[in-house]
């Protein structure tokens, strides 16, 4: 049954009818089974924005490396939808988010949005990335600290002195 369903969805995605493509993309947003990388990438290049958005949502449920590479590229055009899909992809998207943030052409507003996304993903891997971003993106140190606090970060013995130093510096800056 699963193979029949996958074949049917691939048939709908290959259709010339936009309604059928939309229906297939909506179906893919409800499941995480199957390999639909090529079909989802084609949806991102559709002329209709609604099909692009449906493809972006579906990629969040099918977070393969190929899909996430393409999804990161869509941040400039469809930032809100792409960010939500990256959050849906959970830990698998973290390396892609981090590499995008470290690019020179990433706008500051987008960096803040991606830091928020890392916090919403949560977990140990997110905490580690946020801590590393404090050093790598010093201009976003206060925002990174705020997001660490929001995602209930608890410093271990290794990180405690580092965090205390950050907080001390922020207090000195605020007092000045």
């Amino acid at each position: 049954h699963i193979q029949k369903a996958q074949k049917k969805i691939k048939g709908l995605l290959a259709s010339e009818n936009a309604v059928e493509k939309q229906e297939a993309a909506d179906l893919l947003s409800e499941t995480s089974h199957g390999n639909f990388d090529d079909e989802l990438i084609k949806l991102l290049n559709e002329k209709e924005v609604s099909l692009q958005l449906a493809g972006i949502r579906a990629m969040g449920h099918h977070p393969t490396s190929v899909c996430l590479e393409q999804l990161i590229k869509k941040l400039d055009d469809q930032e809100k939808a792409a960010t939500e899909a990256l959050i849906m992809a959970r830990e698998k998207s973290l390396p892609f988010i981090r590499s995008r943030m470290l690019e020179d052409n990433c706008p500051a507003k987008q960096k803040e949005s991606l830091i928020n996304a890392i916090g919403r993903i949560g977990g140990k891997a997110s905490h580690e990335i946020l801590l590393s971003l404090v050093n790598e993106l010093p201009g976003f140190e206060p925002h990174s600290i705020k997001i660490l606090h929001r995602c209930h970060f608890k410093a271990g013995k290794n990180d405690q002195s580092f965090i205390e130093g950050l907080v001390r510096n922020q207090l000195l800056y605020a007092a000045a």
Side-chain angles (χ1 to χ4, degrees):
H1 295 292
I2 292 173
Q3 290 175 343
K4 284 182 181 180
Q6 289 176 357
K7 191 173 183 179
K8 178 72 174 171
I9 291 172
K10 286 187 180 198
L12 290 172
L13 288 169
S15 171
E16 295 297 320
N17 187 343
V19 174
E20 289 180 354
K21 287 182 180 182
Q22 181 75 40
E23 182 181 336
D26 291 342
L27 287 171
L28 288 178
S29 294
E30 295 177 15
T31 182
S32 59
H33 299 291
N35 183 3
F36 299 96
D37 294 351
D38 296 333
E39 292 82 1
L40 290 172
I41 291 170
K42 286 180 186 174
L43 274 179
L44 287 184
N45 299 320
E46 287 287 333
K47 291 179 183 175
E48 288 187 43
V49 176
S50 63
L51 289 177
Q52 290 178 14
L53 292 174
I56 289 170
R57 269 191 314 275
M59 281 185 171
H61 293 276
H62 298 270
T64 62
S65 295
V66 175
C67 285
L68 290 173
E69 282 178 28
Q70 297 301 314
L71 188 57
I72 283 291
K73 293 177 184 175
K74 280 303 220 185
L75 276 170
D76 293 330
D77 300 333
Q78 302 288 343
E79 184 173 343
K80 184 174 181 177
T83 303
E84 287 300 319
L86 289 167
I87 293 168
M88 182 67 63
R90 307 293 304 160
E91 289 85 11
K92 291 181 181 179
S93 66
L94 290 174
F96 297 95
I97 294 172
R98 184 176 185 280
S99 65
R100 172 66 182 151
M101 291 179 66
L102 296 176
E103 291 177 5
D104 291 334
N105 63 346
C106 185
K109 187 75 174 156
Q110 193 175 87
K111 286 180 182 180
E112 283 186 12
S113 174
L114 292 173
I115 289 172
N116 291 338
I118 293 171
R120 286 182 57 195
I121 291 170
K124 186 175 178 164
S126 292
H127 296 161
E128 290 173 6
I129 288 178
L130 287 169
L131 282 173
S132 71
L133 289 175
V134 167
N135 291 329
E136 294 168 341
L137 298 173
F140 295 90
E141 180 181 303
H143 191 68
S144 297
I145 293 171
K146 179 173 72 172
I147 298 303
L148 275 168
H149 175 70
R150 282 187 186 165
C151 66
H152 309 292
F153 171 71
K154 301 283 188 224
K157 290 185 178 183
N158 298 338
D159 299 326
Q160 192 166 4
S161 61
F162 175 69
I163 296 296
E164 287 174 355
L166 289 174
V167 172
R168 189 175 303 109
N169 290 341
Q170 290 297 314
L171 288 172
L172 289 173
Y173 179 74

